[in-house]
Amino acid sequence: MEHFLAMGGYGRFVWPSYALALAVFAWNIVAARRSFTSARERALRTAAANRAAPTEPKT
């Protein structure tokens, strides 16, 4: 197992790269969820405002 983790002497470069990639993927998921939530709330507010605003008759 120790030989596998050492990666032939390159383990000190490989494992931090994996950790950085995992951190980027995790941040991507978090950012996408925040963006989706923000866009959804904005759309709901816009829809509510459109329903509450009186419409002008077309001539």
Side-chain angles (χ1 to χ4, degrees):
M1 184 69 163
E2 184 177 326
H3 184 3
F4 171 75
L5 293 176
M7 298 264 176
Y10 294 102
R12 66 181 180 188
F13 304 109
V14 172
W15 293 114
S17 298
Y18 281 145
L20 181 62
L22 182 62
V24 169
F25 288 142
W27 177 252
N28 194 14
I29 291 169
V30 169
R33 286 186 180 197
R34 284 183 181 172
S35 178
F36 173 75
T37 301
S38 174
R40 183 172 184 259
E41 288 174 357
R42 191 175 34 232
L44 290 173
R45 281 194 308 268
T46 302
N50 287 340
R51 282 193 303 268
T55 58
E56 296 180 14
K58 294 184 179 182
T59 57

